[in-house]
Amino acid sequence: MSLALTDLLRHPVVQAPMAGGVAVPQLAAAVSEAGGLGFLAAGYKTADGMYQEIKQLRGLTGFAFGVNVFMPQPETPDPAAVGVYAHQLAGEAPWYDTELGDPDRGRDDGYDAKLAVLLDNPVPVVSFHFGVPSRDVLDALRRAGTFTLATATTPDEARAVEEAGADAVIAQGVEAGGHQGTHRDDPETEGSGIGLLSLISQVREAVGIPVVAAGAIMHGSQIAAVLAAGASAAQLGTAFLATHESGAHTLHKQALTNPLYARTELTRAFSGRPARALVNRFLREHGPYAPAAYPDVHHLTAPLRKAAAAAGDPQGMALWAGQGHRMARELPAGQLVEVLAAELTATRTALSAGGAR
């Protein structure tokens, strides 16, 4: 691992920047205080909303933290398909006593304004999802003293991250919860995602920059596995979703270990982009018909998801989760970091003892 990233971590544990109100300042602070790297999610927030959370986080911890930014998205190739999907969802709106959202609410997620804030008020780490910024952007952040990462789901995407000048790449396996960070949403490649351990090996051969592994990592033994495969650190999302400081809805936290939700699927039902969630009624009924149209579908379904949560109905919520969700532990986030570090140490000790025989 590069010296710059090593200096930010006492333990090779990165808290994933889960958007939608999960990665709140209290969560990020608890993780950083415990020796991991806490993250804020700028996705779906205004630039000022992001700035206010950064200020709040700085008041909670003096340790390093990161901010994740969504890349702007291209125009939807088939806007008519969004209208067809809206027609399909029409019955959901009266059920939840709300209206469908406006699918044309914007495609750039305030990208330029957020970059301006992050350059004027630099933070230790910035990561990017759904693509990779230009070299000019990454160079500007580096001059500001910021360590940069971007998500990749294939070796080719990892090469693009390195060529753009990022300091490290987040290798996201298909097991990961929430949105796949593909640089280009191509329906023709759907179902071809790469498992994490295989992806780490392929990415390590493709690039020379450090690799952070992401995808259904829940225990310290799994952290040991990805480190042995060549990763420099592990990024965990679902594991922190269930913690006390997480901003996730209580119903979402409970669903992770509820036997009613036996599995996860990649679906476009809630946002128009492949994202892994617990299988519920909304996913089953609408997933097969959802178009490749992000963020149009995200905007369209946002009021439905909010109303379902307010009504206490997890069957209408986006229950993002990785494949390891049943191993979630309800702990304070700082304690979870300590448990993960102890499990990692125990695994390494056991492996070392076995090799010495």
Side-chain angles (χ1 to χ4, degrees):
M1 200 182 329
S2 71
L3 181 61
L5 188 54
T6 303
D7 288 346
L8 302 178
L9 299 165
R10 294 202 306 277
H11 306 302
V13 176
V14 179
Q15 166 242 316
M18 297 164 282
V22 178
V24 293
Q26 294 81 358
L27 174 59
V31 173
S32 291
E33 287 282 316
L37 181 66
F39 253 94
L40 294 175
Y44 310 135
K45 293 184 177 71
T46 64
D48 183 63
M50 177 193 74
Y51 176 61
Q52 295 303 322
E53 286 204 347
I54 291 171
K55 285 177 59 178
Q56 185 181 355
L57 178 52
R58 281 179 165 144
L60 295 172
T61 182
F63 287 96
F65 63 89
V67 176
N68 177 255
V69 177
F70 286 173
M71 293 298 297
Q73 298 299 293
E75 291 297 320
T76 298
D78 185 8
V82 179
V84 172
Y85 192 52
H87 181 73
Q88 160 140 0
L89 295 176
E92 297 279 354
W95 178 261
Y96 289 115
D97 193 25
T98 188
E99 296 181 355
L100 297 178
D102 177 7
D104 300 317
R105 286 189 56 194
R107 316 194 63 76
D108 68 354
D109 200 48
Y111 177 75
D112 289 336
K114 290 172 183 175
L115 282 181
V117 170
L118 293 169
L119 289 170
D120 287 343
N121 302 272
V123 299
V125 181
V126 172
S127 68
F128 296 89
H129 209 56
F130 301 144
V132 60
S134 67
R135 177 171 285 277
D136 287 347
V137 167
L138 293 171
D139 285 348
L141 287 167
R142 183 176 295 107
R143 288 193 296 271
T146 298
F147 189 92
T148 58
L149 309 93
T151 303
T153 62
T154 68
D156 284 344
E157 289 180 350
R159 290 187 191 95
V161 170
E162 182 177 50
E163 289 167 3
D167 296 307
V169 59
I170 301 166
Q172 184 194 36
V174 72
E175 308 95 330
H179 284 92
Q180 290 284 294
T182 50
H183 295 188
R184 178 173 172 267
D185 183 13
D186 184 358
E188 292 186 3
T189 63
E190 204 152 328
S192 61
I194 305 173
L196 180 57
L197 289 178
S198 176
L199 180 62
I200 294 170
S201 298
Q202 294 180 51
V203 168
R204 286 277 294 161
E205 287 191 0
V207 302
I209 55 178
V211 176
V212 176
I217 301 169
M218 303 294 289
H219 281 186
S221 59
Q222 294 169 294
I223 298 175
V226 299
L227 297 182
S232 297
Q235 178 173 281
L236 293 76
T238 306
F240 284 107
L241 194 153
T243 59
H244 296 181
E245 295 87 348
S246 160
H249 195 286
T250 300
L251 292 173
H252 192 169
K253 293 183 180 184
Q254 293 171 346
L256 295 175
T257 53
N258 186 336
L260 180 64
Y261 304 99
R263 61 190 178 87
T264 63
E265 279 187 12
L266 285 173
T267 183
R268 298 180 185 273
F270 301 103
S271 73
R273 242 185 183 273
R276 187 171 295 282
L278 298 172
V279 176
N280 61 2
R281 177 195 62 80
F282 195 100
L283 188 157
R284 284 193 302 269
E285 292 184 2
H286 302 296
Y289 310 103
Y294 177 87
D296 311 58
V297 172
H298 163 78
H299 296 319
L300 190 69
T301 66
L304 298 177
R305 291 178 276 125
K306 183 177 180 180
D313 181 11
Q315 295 296 334
M317 297 167 58
L319 302 174
W320 306 130
Q323 288 182 342
H325 63 95
R326 298 299 290 273
M327 295 186 286
R329 296 176 277 198
E330 281 195 53
L331 297 171
Q335 185 180 343
L336 178 59
V337 173
E338 294 169 359
V339 169
L340 291 167
E343 291 172 344
L344 170 59
T345 298
T347 300
R348 285 173 156 171
T349 300
L351 290 173
S352 177
R357 289 174 186 164

